[in-house]
Structures are given as C-alpha cells and as structure tokens.
Amino acid sequence: MTLQENIAAIEDKIAEACAKSGRSRGDITLIAVTKTVPAWQIGESISLGIQHIGESKIQEAERKLPDIKGISSVKKHLIGHLQTNKAKKAVELFDVIQSLDSERLAEEINKQAQKLNKVQECLVELKVSEEESKFGLDPSKLIDFLNLIRVFGGIRVTGVMVMAPFFEDPEKTRPYFKRVKKSFDEAKETNPGLKELSMGMSNDFDIAVEEGATMVRIGTAIFKGSN
Ligand SMILES: *Cc1c(COP(=O)(O)O)cnc(C)c1O
C-alpha cells in the first residue's frame, strides 16, 4: 500500500461513518500521527494533502520539525503526555496541546505562553480507561477544571481529547466514546468555546466519528507499509 492509498482508504471510511451518522466530512479534522515517522515521509504526506500532524514527544518533534517539507502550512498538535518542565518547549513548538490534564500543567503553560505573548490553544485530556498507563482528567472533574483555568489569559481551551482502551473489536470502544461525548456536551453548556472532540485512532476512528468526534488521530493506518 502506498501512502496515497492508505489516506484514500481512511477518507472512504470517514465518509462512510459520516453518512451513517448524518454528519458531514467538513466537520471532521484528520490528524496524521507522525510519531516515529521520518521527516521525509511526513513531508510526503503533506504533499498528499495532510494539513494537521500529531507528535507525542517534545524531543522527537524538536528534532524532526525543521526537516519537514511544507511544515509551515500544517497545524501541529502535541498528543502525548506533557511534563511540566517541558511546557516551554511545547508552547514554542505546537499550535495545539491536546494533553492538558492538570492544574499544575495549566499554570506552567499559561506562564510560558504569556512570556511569548501567545494564547496557547489546548484540549483537556480525559481518562476513561482504568489502564495505569493512561493520563488524563476524570470526566467528572472537567467542568470544575475548566472553571479553574478560565482566568488563565495564556490558554484557550477549545475542546477535549481522549484515548479509548484498545480492543480487538473496535465496537467495544463505542460506550467510552459515548461517555466522553456526554461529558463534552455537558461542559459545553457553560463553556461555549468547546468545539473539538478529539477521539478515534487507527483501530476505532469510524466508531469515534459515528459518536461525534471532530478530530481523529491516525498514525498506523496512514504510514504502515508505505515505505
Ligand atoms: C499513537 C497515538 C495515536 C495514533 O495511534 P494509531 O493507532 O497509530 O493510529 C493517536 N493518539 C495518541 C494520543 C497516540 O499516542
């Protein structure tokens, strides 16, 4: 499979999920997850129409970004866990930080953004899985958290991000996506700036789209087998 064929197959699947759930393709942002993908290949994906990329690690992004052809035309998302001591770099490198998950991190992002005269766009990462390895805020704490950081002039929260647990059968992720959509809708009532619901990866993005995702983060299904 070529990169182009992989992307076309994903587009077909997104279109199908949109049709099934009465949504339109224009409501969904495709983020190509480029962790471990070499710069030249990320450049190739950009030449094929990719407009958003997602990286997991600050160090890897810092090293690769300058070498990516066409990078200035894409929006860069940090999707991996962010340590407070790397907030400065994250604010320098990324258009969107999708992994905001604590008050302490919010304080640091706010401080660093204000130093750069930047308003940092962030998504709040929610945790819906019991797996130890997953970061994120408990969905029941979302509204309080948003209230708490509302005063931070260096941060604009535009949505919520979540990783569902992995299942062989993607259908099993559906209840997790439904739960997050419900928290998102509840929070939206008092936080009209919430627009983005970032959920769905290679294995389950069609289910996520059916359940209301506005951003899907896809790595393996785009880059696998294409080099
Ligand atoms: C790696 C990663 C993805 C993409 O996963 P794939 O299964 O390769 O599509 C999406 N979101 C996050 C947070 C990731 O770390």
Side-chain angles (χ1 to χ4, degrees):
M1 290 287 272
T2 66
L3 206 48
Q4 191 163 21
E5 287 166 338
N6 286 348
I7 293 171
I10 288 161
E11 283 295 343
D12 283 350
K13 217 168 154 185
I14 293 176
E16 205 176 300
C18 282
K20 218 168 146 181
S21 52
R23 307 187 62 207
S24 76
R25 173 64 184 90
D27 298 337
I28 321 288
T29 300
L30 170 60
I31 300 177
V33 174
T34 52
K35 64 185 182 209
T36 74
V37 177
W40 67 266
Q41 200 176 27
I42 303 172
E44 196 182 318
S45 74
I46 294 169
S47 75
L48 292 168
I50 290 298
Q51 295 176 325
H52 295 255
I53 64 163
E55 283 283 339
S56 288
K57 293 185 178 141
I58 299 292
Q59 256 181 325
E60 181 182 343
E62 196 179 16
R63 179 167 50 74
K64 283 191 319 197
L65 290 176
D67 295 334
I68 300 171
K69 204 168 162 218
I71 191 68
S72 60
S73 68
V74 304
K75 214 164 162 179
K76 303 179 289 292
H77 301 254
L78 178 67
I79 60 169
H81 180 64
L82 177 59
Q83 288 170 288
T84 313
N85 63 2
K86 295 195 175 132
K88 177 172 187 282
K89 274 277 183 286
V91 169
E92 286 169 3
L93 294 172
F94 290 96
D95 299 296
V96 186
I97 296 174
Q98 297 209 1
S99 46
L100 173 57
D101 64 355
S102 75
E103 189 184 347
R104 210 164 83 83
L105 181 59
E107 278 168 4
E108 191 60 22
I109 292 172
N110 181 52
K111 188 171 106 189
Q112 298 299 339
Q114 287 186 321
K115 275 193 200 165
L116 292 176
N117 275 317
K118 180 180 183 183
V119 179
Q120 178 64 53
E121 186 177 342
C122 294
L123 306 188
V124 176
E125 180 172 0
L126 297 181
K127 177 184 159 113
V128 291
S129 138
E130 269 61 58
E131 293 166 70
E132 281 291 332
S133 61
K134 297 263 162 66
F135 294 96
L137 200 74
D138 190 297
S140 67
K141 302 198 172 110
L142 175 61
I143 291 175
D144 283 346
F145 182 69
L146 291 168
N147 284 335
L148 203 75
I149 65 174
R150 207 191 299 273
V151 294
F152 291 173
I155 292 185
R156 185 161 53 98
V157 176
T158 57
V160 156
M161 183 268 257
V162 78
M163 255 174 112
F166 179 85
F167 295 105
E168 280 302 328
D169 175 10
E171 191 57 41
K172 293 197 173 134
T173 57
R174 195 182 294 277
Y176 293 88
F177 292 143
K178 276 190 197 294
R179 180 136 58 101
V180 173
K181 175 71 160 70
K182 186 163 174 283
S183 301
F184 176 71
D185 286 341
E186 283 166 7
K188 240 160 81 166
E189 287 172 20
T190 45
N191 297 272
L194 295 184
K195 311 271 184 226
E196 304 293 354
L197 185 49
S198 174
M199 59 185 194
M201 317 196 333
S202 291
N203 191 50
D204 54 19
F205 67 88
D206 49 337
I207 310 285
V209 167
E210 287 173 28
E211 295 304 329
T214 68
M215 286 179 166
V216 291
R217 309 178 309 268
I218 304 180
T220 316
I222 295 182
F223 294 102
K224 184 190 55 177
S226 63
N227 52 0

